[in-house]
Amino acid sequence: TDGRLLVRADDDRVTTYDVTGAHPEQLETIELPGMEGAEILLAGDTVVAVGRDDAQPTSDTYAVPQQDTRLVVLDVSDPGAPVVTDTFVTNTDLQATRQTGDTVRLVLSSRLPDLDFVEPGRWRSDDRALEQNRDRIRESSIEDWLPTVTSYDAEGEGTVRPLVDCDRVALPSTEAGLGTMVVAGFDAAEPTDWDVSAVATDSDVVYMSTDRLY
């Protein structure tokens, strides 16, 4: 709330209220298709809702299900008629969401690429499986390893692009696990202009202050 408008999230629904009177007055409820477990940020006339994307792909390689992240931006300049202006889906897990002033920051973790690895067995020795898996990695491209973000227009048509550029990925001086931790920031009023950096690590613990992120 900003003291005048109150916004409440309930799974895949966002409801607005006028709280300027003696009692809250419910104004409107809008559904956020494709989202589960939404959490929201309010900055001026903009609501940023972040949650899990419920259209989860399956993986034959990993037992842990993917948890893609869906981000929906709403214009609440007319609180009685909120409008979805932007929708994004990243193939990353959401670790943390923070707001400082009008700046929104997302911390996201990217899984390893789903390469066509093989396992040793009756007809494949340990050494042979290792050799084939190393070949799979050598044959992969940077596009296999970097996370992506899909931007959807008003008609629901999606455009896929890398979430972070290769030259914005930092490599720790010592081994820090296999994975990519992504920090994406944007002004709530300009949700299509993301500033993104990343670190090659599988860490999933995040601490933030107003001017530092650990």
Side-chain angles (χ1 to χ4, degrees), residues 1-22:
T1 183
D2 60 6
R4 300 177 60 84
L5 171 67
L6 183 145
V7 186
R8 181 173 65 91
D10 182 12
D11 196 25
D12 65 345
R13 295 181 300 276
V14 168
T15 303
T16 56
Y17 299 81
D18 181 351
V19 291
T20 59

Side-chain angles (χ1 to χ4, degrees), residues 4 9 40 47 50 62 66 70 90 101 106 115 121 128 133 143-144 150 157 159 185-186 194 206 208:
R4 300 177 60 84
I40 55 175
V47 169
V50 188
Y62 301 105
Q66 300 183 38
R70 179 174 287 260
T90 69
L106 309 177
L115 303 179
R128 180 56 178 162
N133 288 334
E143 286 76 17
D144 295 318
T150 304
E157 295 294 327
T159 302
F186 58 89
W194 292 25
V206 181
M208 292 190 198

Side-chain angles (χ1 to χ4, degrees), residues 43-169:
D45 292 332
T46 302
V47 169
V48 178
V50 188
R52 296 181 303 276
D53 182 55
D54 67 6
Q56 296 298 328
T58 58
S59 170
D60 295 330
T61 304
Y62 301 105
V64 178
Q66 300 183 38
Q67 291 291 317
D68 292 354
T69 298
R70 179 174 287 260
L71 184 149
V72 178
V73 182
L74 301 96
D75 178 359
V76 292
S77 55
D78 180 358
V83 177
V84 173
T85 60
D86 300 277
T87 300
F88 308 92
V89 175
T90 69
N91 64 339
T92 57
D93 296 323
L94 179 66
Q95 300 296 340
T97 306
R98 296 290 188 275
Q99 177 182 344
T100 305
D102 291 339
T103 300
V104 175
R105 292 187 178 88
L106 309 177
V107 181
L108 308 156
S109 61
S110 175
R111 67 193 68 83
L112 294 175
D114 194 2
L115 303 179
D116 188 21
F117 289 126
V118 298
E119 296 182 0
R122 183 175 181 181
W123 306 108
R124 185 185 294 115
S125 67
D126 289 359
D127 289 344
R128 180 56 178 162
L130 178 61
E131 180 183 353
Q132 288 183 267
N133 288 334
R134 284 175 170 170
D135 287 340
R136 299 288 193 280
I137 293 174
R138 293 189 186 100
E139 293 164 1
S140 66
S141 66
I142 191 63
E143 286 76 17
D144 295 318
W145 294 85
L146 292 180
T148 62
V149 57
T150 304
S151 305
Y152 290 91
D153 59 23
E155 286 72 39
E157 295 294 327
T159 302
V160 183
R161 59 180 173 81
L163 176 59
V164 60
D165 293 330
C166 187
D167 61 0
R168 297 299 300 273
V169 180

Side-chain angles (χ1 to χ4, degrees), residues 16-39:
T16 56
Y17 299 81
D18 181 351
V19 291
T20 59
H23 302 283
E25 176 187 355
Q26 182 171 329
L27 300 176
E28 185 61 273
T29 296
I30 184 171
E31 291 192 3
L32 307 176
M35 181 175 287
E36 293 181 351
E39 56 180 295

